[in-house]
Amino acid sequence: MRGLKLIAALMATAAALPAAAQDVAITNAKLVIGDGSEPVDGGTVVIRGGRVVAAGAGVAVPGGMRSVDAGGRWVSPGIVAGFTRMGVVEVDGVRDTDDSAAAGSVFNAGLDLAPAVNPRSTPIAVNRAEGITRAVVAPDPRGSIFAGQGAVIDLGADMDAVVRPRAFQFMEWGETGADRAGGSRAAAMAMLRNAFHEAQAYRRNPSSYEDRGKDALLTRTDAAALVPVIEGRMPLLVHVERASDILTLIELKREFPTLRPVLVGATEGWTVAREVAAAKIPVIASALADLPASFEKLAATQSNIGRLKAAGVTVGIGSINDDEARQARLVKQYAGNLVALTKVPGASGLSWGQAFATISSLPAEAIGMGDEIGSLRAGRRGDVVIWDGDPLEVGTAATTVFVDGVEQPLSNRQTRLRDRYLDPKEGTLPKAYQY
């Protein structure tokens, strides 16, 4: 019995550890670097020790390395989902499975989402099979404009999902921020300024927070969490939609010049694109919001990203308020539609290479991880996908996915259900649905 327990313990340990990275070269590819350049035929990408060491046309395969012939198929970096709540929500209607928000907590900015990420969450495997290899995961605020510290995760099939904990602070601005602050944008601004000044006070003298008592407007934990934000060591992701709210944030950056804001959503961003570009503030935008779904989105247009790009803004695609816990895979379709927009008179779209960059290198750059993920430049993580067609076409599927140089399983709950009911037979399993 003791031996069986030891074997079981060893198996559990092995399952929790990431698989070893494979040294592999993928040749004869229609190669996408992910940096905005157009695909090249006859490309090769070489991965060693979990990192890209070379990619492009004319790259030689090191002797003795495993080689995979892509047969002319599309090969790209893994897709970076620019804004999600993947891994922290399983079923929206079951509160116990939703760790995205903490409505009853006294903490806000100090909340750290990383320990809540579940690598076995069903949407992770589903999105991995669609070529998503990294995701920006944000908390959802309730009692404050601040939601807490989000994480960047990989979608590998192991229990080591969090790549960068406390990667950014997330906050709500505009209509939602006003609601969280007490009912108006003026209240949101007062809460924001007060929080930053409190964080500055904490930075000057952390011991002063010991005696502030229950009436303090910011807990010690929250003040400490905002210090890297005001020092510029941590990006501040801000959900904002209305043009005037974007300009308010630009003005705030002048007051706190070390801030590193990243605009999320930014439906009316195109109307103030020159100001956003001049302030050097990156954007993770909703791709195809073309209806005035609220009063802060009256200038919605599918040309938003194209016009921001034309103005010189660093802009990637996110999926805020767009089933962000499950459907990150839709960013491929959104990017493809931005290419199609180039054929619509009067609209502003993107070239194919630019569109793919909005779901690979640009979200990574927006959160300060462009030197780690999102492209096949030398030194980046070995996240590579082989496709059976153009990855921006709706009907295309990923056939092979590497994360950190480790080839990943592509089965998931959806494929298992498909296989189970594709040809149902009487047996030990329950009957298939009759309707």
Side-chain angles (χ1 to χ4, degrees):
M1 181 61 73
R2 185 176 178 182
L4 291 176
K5 288 182 178 178
L6 177 60
I7 292 173
L10 290 173
M11 292 178 64
T13 302
L17 293 173
Q22 304 155 35
D23 295 341
V24 60
I26 302 168
T27 65
N28 191 21
K30 189 176 185 68
L31 191 64
V32 181
I33 300 298
D35 58 358
S37 59
E38 297 301 309
V40 295
D41 292 323
T44 296
V45 55
V46 178
I47 307 170
R48 187 189 293 279
R51 298 270 180 174
V52 175
V53 295
V59 171
V61 178
M65 179 175 283
R66 176 194 171 199
S67 180
V68 176
D69 186 346
R73 290 178 294 174
W74 294 72
V75 175
S76 77
I79 290 169
V80 178
F83 185 94
T84 76
R85 296 203 164 91
M86 203 185 312
V88 294
V89 181
E90 189 71 34
V91 181
D92 291 334
V94 181
R95 182 65 191 87
D96 293 343
T97 71
D98 184 352
D99 285 304
S100 63
S105 174
V106 298
F107 301 104
N108 45 74
L111 296 172
D112 178 4
L113 195 66
V117 173
N118 177 15
R120 290 179 177 162
S121 175
T122 303
I124 287 182
V126 172
N127 282 277
R128 179 174 65 235
E130 299 263 1
I132 315 294
T133 56
R134 308 276 167 173
V136 176
V137 185
D140 191 4
R142 283 295 183 265
S144 169
I145 58 175
F146 294 106
Q149 300 157 104
V152 176
I153 67 170
D154 71 53
L155 275 62
D158 56 56
M159 297 299 287
D160 189 25
V162 177
V163 178
R164 180 170 291 181
R166 299 177 295 282
F168 58 91
Q169 177 70 227
F170 177 62
M171 63 168 283
E172 285 282 355
W173 199 240
E175 292 179 359
T176 305
D179 178 70
R180 300 293 187 268
S184 76
R185 285 174 168 82
M189 178 56 79
M191 178 180 282
L192 179 62
R193 279 206 173 92
N194 178 75
F196 283 169
H197 289 308
E198 291 284 280
Q200 289 173 329
Y202 176 87
R203 181 176 56 173
R204 288 191 297 269
N205 184 11
S207 62
S208 68
Y209 259 74
E210 298 293 348
D211 301 322
R212 296 202 170 199
K214 64 180 181 181
D215 293 330
L217 293 177
L218 202 64
T219 69
R220 178 186 177 87
T221 299
D222 296 325
L226 289 175
V227 169
V229 175
I230 61 174
E231 290 181 341
R233 293 184 287 112
M234 177 184 289
L236 177 64
L237 270 60
V238 187
H239 175 211
V240 59
E241 303 287 0
R242 197 171 76 181
S244 64
D245 291 330
I246 294 173
L247 294 177
T248 298
L249 290 169
I250 293 174
E251 186 62 30
L252 186 74
K253 189 176 185 308
R254 296 190 181 100
E255 182 179 347
F256 297 91
T258 54
L259 281 181
R260 291 168 55 201
V262 178
L263 309 182
V264 177
T267 298
E268 293 191 349
W270 67 276
T271 66
V272 290
R274 286 186 300 177
E275 290 86 347
V276 176
K280 301 185 185 307
I281 298 177
V283 175
I284 298 176
S286 303
L288 298 176
D290 64 340
L291 294 174
S294 64
F295 281 103
E296 62 182 358
K297 300 180 181 177
L298 295 178
T301 170
Q302 291 186 356
S303 294
N304 185 35
I305 288 181
R307 291 171 182 171
L308 284 167
K309 174 70 177 177
V313 178
T314 297
V315 54
I317 293 178
S319 51
I320 188 163
N321 297 333
D322 187 17
D323 201 357
E324 61 268 49
R326 283 165 290 273
Q327 298 287 15
R329 54 187 175 172
L330 295 180
V331 298
K332 295 179 297 176
Q333 181 177 342
Y334 295 161
N337 285 351
L338 292 177
V339 179
L341 275 180
T342 61
K343 301 178 181 178
V344 178
S348 295
L350 300 176
S351 69
W352 196 99
Q354 291 172 335
F356 195 88
T358 64
I359 56 174
S360 53
S361 60
L362 294 177
E365 290 175 13
I367 59 169
M369 293 188 68
D371 58 350
E372 275 286 302
I373 58 176
S375 75
L376 297 183
R377 297 173 186 152
R380 272 53 172 188
R381 303 266 189 152
D383 299 352
V384 182
V385 182
I386 304 175
W387 308 86
D388 66 3
D390 181 343
L392 301 189
E393 292 289 341
V394 174
T396 295
T399 60
T400 307
V401 175
F402 292 89
V403 174
D404 284 326
V406 179
E407 188 169 347
Q408 300 293 319
L410 301 185
S411 64
N412 54 71
R413 178 176 172 79
Q414 292 185 351
T415 60
R416 291 193 292 274
L417 284 170
R418 176 202 63 195
D419 296 341
R420 177 173 174 176
Y421 293 112
L422 187 63
D423 184 20
K425 295 181 176 62
E426 296 292 340
T428 57
L429 295 173
K431 290 184 177 179
Y433 294 112
Q434 296 180 357
Y435 302 101

